[in-house]
Amino acid sequence: MKKLLALFCTLAVTVSLLAMPAAAVGYDPSAVYSVQAAAAYVVNTDTNVIIYEKNSEQQMQANGLTKLMCAALVLTNYQDALDTTTFTMTSAVSDYVYQTDYADFRPGETFTVREALYAMLLRNANDAAMGMAYQLSGNDLTGWVSQMNSLSQKIGTTGSTWTDACGIDAGNVTTAKDMYLILRYLMDFDAFKEIEKTALFVLPAKEKHSATSNLLNLNVMVNATSGGQYYRSAVQGGILDVKGYKADTGAQSAVSWATQDGATYIFSIMGSPDTCDTYGYENRRPALFETTKLVDWVFSSFTIQSALDTTQPLCEVKVDYAGNDSLLLYPADDLKTILPAGSDSSVTQKIYNLPESVAAPVHQGDVVGSVTLVLAGESIGTVDLLAGQDIERNSLLFAVAQLKAFFGSLYFRVVLTLSLICLAVYLGWFLYHAYLYRNDSHRIRRD
């Protein structure tokens, strides 16, 4: 029951976020760095503003990023039992992941779910992911994958299909936007955030390992000691789909998040060619290279600011039945948004939706209209405009206005017209009968 409640609460938060479409500002980083990845999606999670987008809904092979979806399913169901739930590695799983990224989990060794999460998220270990999924599913990997797909859809993904728990199978496909949604979902789990920021995890000795094992995080952006030029203090975590490139060539994907000065961004980078990494290390990490460039660009170029000031009137509107009074209108919300560093709210365009006038009485806090803010041609939000003060009705002005309104109304014109018609008919009838009466009187006198 506790797990079901946790799932409901986490999904509720996610759905509430998805219910507010992200505003697409569409900034271009090319003046600083030209993104070479096949797809990218950068979003500020505080405002839901899309900072940068490139082919974000294009389906691509997920590869090792599949482990984020596997982790989402594990944490949804076992977040309160990570240290008490265990599994034993099997030969069947070892054979399936042979000669792929692994953490040297050997058949017959027993691991906790938390240990497996560290291995699969830090080292992109296929043996940890598959071994855990195999036993937690009751040896029903097909059922496990079905649950992954079901949860993925609940999270809001639209371009993802999962076919195994680790990403070896080529049928695992996703999009940059979907990976953003999955990472955002995972960021609600404290255990996930704790694992992701770990530079080095020491795996205890096991049945076939007499000594501890060091699991170094492949996402060296979080490693101040050995991260070199990749290290960024703002980066809080992330995962790579493959380790990196030396003599071979290829493309790499990574999903990460970074926080600085109270602002948090998610960076979903897919299909970065190894040739784009110019840091000069033997082991090239193109997705991390491009992520660092975008992290630097974002935090040096943008700040979260209030686009409106709720303490200052934004405009005014005429008030009827109150003499010469006008009503000052205040924004209901300060509408925090992403603005270029060094700028202020003056860079936004304001589009008002207001009546020509309002009728007294008016009470402070009444919603009178709204204002929509536009930045770089895109709407960044709409805020209600509230009455800033009470305004009483002038009874004499109201009575005069009502009389004027009555005499100018269609009802009055119809009644007046009908009355005139009736009067004209009556006058005609009266004159006609008066004429007949005179004729009759003349006739009688002659007789």
Side-chain angles (χ1 to χ4, degrees):
M1 187 64 176
K2 191 174 182 181
K3 294 176 182 176
L4 290 175
L5 180 60
L7 171 60
F8 175 79
C9 293
T10 306
L11 286 176
V13 171
T14 303
V15 170
S16 68
L17 290 170
L18 297 178
M20 301 180 294
V25 172
Y27 292 110
D28 183 5
S30 59
V32 176
Y33 176 73
S34 181
V35 177
Q36 299 180 48
Y41 201 60
V42 180
V43 181
N44 174 264
T45 62
D46 308 289
T47 61
N48 293 322
V49 171
I50 302 169
I51 302 298
Y52 177 71
E53 185 276 338
K54 178 182 179 182
N55 302 327
S56 63
E57 298 189 53
Q58 175 180 314
Q59 264 193 346
M60 302 178 63
Q61 284 194 353
N63 299 320
L65 298 184
T66 302
K67 294 179 182 67
L68 283 185
M69 193 60 241
C70 180
L73 183 57
V74 172
L75 288 168
T76 298
N77 292 296
Y78 297 94
Q79 62 173 322
D80 296 326
L82 299 183
D83 298 309
T84 56
T85 305
T86 62
F87 69 94
T88 301
M89 194 67 181
T90 67
S91 297
V93 170
S94 293
D95 292 341
Y96 182 76
V97 302
Y98 180 66
Q99 291 187 333
T100 66
D101 294 341
Y102 69 101
D104 198 21
F105 281 19
R106 299 177 185 178
E109 291 184 325
T110 300
F111 304 88
T112 67
V113 168
R114 188 184 299 276
E115 291 169 345
L117 285 172
Y118 268 102
M120 64 183 272
L121 293 174
L122 300 190
R123 297 298 301 172
N124 209 313
N126 294 321
D127 48 358
M130 292 298 293
M132 177 171 53
Y134 185 66
Q135 188 152 327
L136 294 183
S137 66
N139 303 340
D140 179 16
L141 284 173
T142 300
W144 182 265
V145 169
S146 177
Q147 291 182 66
M148 284 174 58
N149 281 288
S150 177
L151 178 58
S152 183
Q153 292 171 11
K154 290 178 181 177
I155 290 173
T157 64
T158 57
S160 299
T161 300
W162 312 105
T163 54
D164 71 14
C166 66
I168 291 178
D169 191 88
N172 291 289
V173 293
T174 189
T175 68
K177 182 177 180 179
D178 283 358
M179 291 313 304
Y180 149 78
L181 293 172
I182 294 168
L183 180 58
R184 187 158 187 168
Y185 176 81
L186 280 164
M187 286 166 60
D188 283 334
F189 295 95
D190 291 337
F192 175 78
K193 291 185 289 186
E194 181 67 27
I195 291 170
E196 284 289 292
K197 71 179 183 181
T198 302
L200 174 67
F201 176 70
V202 179
L203 186 68
K206 297 295 178 181
E207 292 86 343
K208 297 184 179 181
H209 285 84
S210 58
T212 60
S213 303
N214 292 331
L215 300 180
L216 187 66
N217 195 336
L218 294 177
N219 180 16
V220 293
M221 292 189 296
V222 302
N223 195 325
T225 302
S226 60
Q229 294 184 71
Y230 298 107
Y231 172 69
R232 295 295 184 277
S233 60
V235 175
Q236 303 300 302
I239 186 173
L240 284 70
D241 67 336
V242 292
K243 289 182 178 179
Y245 301 96
K246 291 184 179 180
D248 55 340
T249 60
Q252 186 184 60
S253 300
V255 188
S256 312
W257 81 96
T259 300
Q260 183 173 298
D261 298 328
T264 299
Y265 297 83
I266 289 178
F267 301 83
S268 181
I269 312 298
M270 300 194 67
S272 295
D274 76 300
T275 53
C276 76
D277 187 347
T278 59
Y279 281 153
Y281 298 106
E282 180 184 9
N283 193 354
R284 299 182 299 280
R285 300 175 175 90
L288 295 191
F289 175 84
E290 295 212 279
T291 300
T292 61
K293 293 297 183 181
L294 289 172
V295 167
D296 294 344
W297 168 65
V298 162
F299 286 117
S300 65
S301 302
F302 307 104
T303 58
I304 296 180
Q305 300 181 43
S306 295
L308 299 170
D309 186 349
T310 58
T311 66
Q312 296 296 319
L314 199 59
C315 57
E316 61 182 14
V317 66
K318 180 183 175 183
V319 182
D320 296 329
Y321 322 134
N324 296 321
D325 286 343
S326 61
L327 178 65
L328 296 177
L329 302 181
Y330 292 74
D333 186 84
D334 60 5
L335 191 62
K336 292 189 181 300
T337 189
I338 299 295
L339 295 176
S343 67
D344 54 32
S345 60
S346 63
V347 300
T348 61
Q349 176 189 1
K350 298 177 180 65
I351 300 176
Y352 294 96
N353 178 22
L354 294 171
E356 291 186 6
S357 63
V358 294
V362 178
H363 302 290
Q364 185 177 19
D366 286 350
V367 177
V368 176
S370 64
V371 59
T372 298
L373 270 65
V374 176
L375 179 63
E378 297 287 345
S379 171
I380 60 174
T382 298
V383 174
D384 287 338
L385 292 174
L386 308 180
Q389 70 266 25
D390 293 331
I391 296 181
E392 299 298 327
R393 176 189 292 167
N394 184 304
S395 300
L396 178 60
L397 291 176
F398 180 71
V400 171
Q402 293 300 103
L403 286 173
K404 288 174 64 178
F406 173 74
F407 289 122
S409 66
L410 176 63
Y411 172 78
F412 177 76
R413 291 197 297 269
V414 169
V415 171
L416 180 61
T417 301
L418 291 175
S419 298
L420 291 174
I421 291 173
C422 291
L423 179 60
V425 170
Y426 173 76
L427 288 173
W429 177 85
F430 178 80
L431 293 174
Y432 174 71
H433 283 277
Y435 171 77
L436 293 178
Y437 177 77
R438 267 196 317 272
N439 287 342
D440 289 342
S441 298
H442 292 161
R443 190 178 302 114
I444 292 171
R445 282 196 295 272
R446 283 196 296 270
D447 294 341

